[in-house]
Amino acid sequence: MKTLSEHKCFEGVQGYYSHDSREIGLPMRFSVYQPPQARKHKLPVLYYLAGLTCTEETFMIKAGAQRFASKAGILLVAPDTSPRGANIPGEADSWDFGLGAGFYVDARREPWATHYRMYSYVTAELPGVIAEHFPADVGRQGIFGHSMGGHGALVCALRNPDRYRSLSALAPICAPMRCPWGQKAFRGYLGDDPSAWRDYDASELVKADPFPGPILIDQGMTDKFLAEQLHPEVFEAACKAAKQSLQMRRHPGYDHGYFFISTFVEDHLRHHAAQLGA
C-alpha cells in the first residue's frame, strides 16, 4: 500500500492511499478517515460508495462526515468508482459508462471483464486491505452510498448479509434493470440477457433474501433523476412484499447533489453507529 497524502481532521487523520489490486489488475485508490480513537483500539468500519463521475476524494471532501465519525469512533472508507488506466477503447466516451462508472458489478463481457470487477473489489479485496493496514474491527462493517453507489451498497449488503451489519443509501438507483443508466451499464458489462442482471438489482434481490437489519434511504423530491433513473417506489414495494424493515424518507426541495448528502449524512452515520455498536 502507498500513502498518497494524510491530513489532520477533527483530531483524526484523513488519508488517501493506493495499492496494486489483484481483482482489478491495476492500481486502485481509496480514502480512509481514522478518528482519534483509532490510535487506541480497533473500530467499526463504514464503507461509502460514490456515484457516477466521482472518485475516492468526493465524499471525504464534500459530505462533512468526519465530524460525526470522529465523535462516534467510526472508520470511514471510500474507494474509487472504477478502474483507472485500463485504456479500453471508448472507456471515457460517456460519463455514465466506463471511467467513473463501474456500477459495482463484476463485468462478464469483454473487454470490460478483465479489469471492471468492482463488486469483488469492494466486498472482498478492499476489506482485506483495510484490515491489514488499519485498526479495523472486521466483525463490525457497514456500507452506504449515493446514486450509483447507493445501488452498489444495497446490492453488496443484500448479497453478503454476513459481511455487513448495517446498510443505508442516499438517492440510490433502486431498480437498475428498469432505468436507462442501469440498462446501459448492465448491457455493456454483463451482456444482453436480462436474467444475468438480477444479481445486481436490489429490488430483485430483496424479494428473495431480505437484509437482516433495518435499511435507511433518503430521497430528495426535486432530484432531477428521480422519475426516470432512481425508482425508490419499486424498492419500497419489494421491501413491503418481503417484510424488509425499511425507512424511506422523502424530502421536499432537496436535489441529487452533495448539499442534500451533507444535510442528512449525520443521520446515516447515526443509523450505522447504532447497528455497529459504535
Side-chain angles (χ1 to χ4, degrees), residues 57-276:
E57 295 182 327
T58 312
F59 174 77
M60 297 301 189
I61 293 172
K62 292 185 175 183
Q66 293 94 334
R67 182 188 297 272
F68 183 77
S70 174
K71 295 177 181 178
I74 297 174
L75 281 173
L76 292 177
V77 179
D80 202 351
T81 52
S82 77
R84 309 282 172 170
N87 298 320
I88 297 171
E91 189 179 33
D93 287 354
S94 60
W95 63 275
D96 56 358
F97 183 80
L99 287 179
F103 260 83
Y104 305 102
V105 305
D106 284 349
R108 300 175 187 175
R109 171 173 274 182
E110 294 294 352
W112 310 98
T114 301
H115 297 297
Y116 277 68
R117 297 183 50 79
M118 291 299 294
Y119 170 78
S120 289
Y121 177 74
V122 166
T123 59
E125 184 176 12
L126 182 58
V129 174
I130 298 302
E132 180 180 355
H133 295 283
F134 299 90
D137 181 349
V138 296
R140 292 189 292 164
Q141 295 188 146
I143 191 166
F144 73 136
H146 168 241
S147 193
M148 176 186 73
H151 140 76
L154 293 171
V155 168
C156 289
L158 287 167
R159 289 180 59 174
N160 300 277
D162 57 326
R163 298 183 189 180
Y164 302 103
R165 287 173 51 176
S166 59
L167 172 61
S168 72
L170 295 130
I173 302 171
C174 287
M177 291 177 67
R178 304 190 187 198
C179 76
W181 280 344
Q183 291 165 1
K184 179 178 180 178
F186 287 179
R187 187 169 289 109
Y189 294 135
L190 303 175
D192 295 328
D193 182 2
S195 67
W197 302 356
R198 290 192 175 91
D199 287 345
Y200 296 104
D201 188 309
S203 293
E204 295 295 320
L205 291 170
V206 76
K207 295 176 185 177
D209 294 296
F211 188 69
I215 301 173
L216 170 64
I217 291 179
D218 280 305
Q219 176 62 59
M221 296 310 291
T222 58
D223 187 325
K224 65 181 180 180
F225 303 116
L226 176 56
E228 184 178 26
Q229 303 284 9
L230 304 182
H231 298 302
E233 73 285 351
V234 176
F235 187 70
E236 191 172 36
C239 286
K240 183 177 181 180
K243 296 181 171 55
Q244 167 70 59
S245 176
L246 171 68
Q247 185 179 16
M248 177 76 73
R249 307 194 306 184
R250 292 174 169 87
H251 305 282
Y254 285 93
D255 61 21
H256 195 69
Y258 269 82
F259 295 115
F260 158 67
I261 293 170
S262 63
T263 300
F264 298 106
V265 71
E266 183 173 333
D267 290 352
H268 283 254
L269 266 66
R270 289 185 183 278
H271 168 84
H272 289 275
Q275 302 302 311
L276 298 173

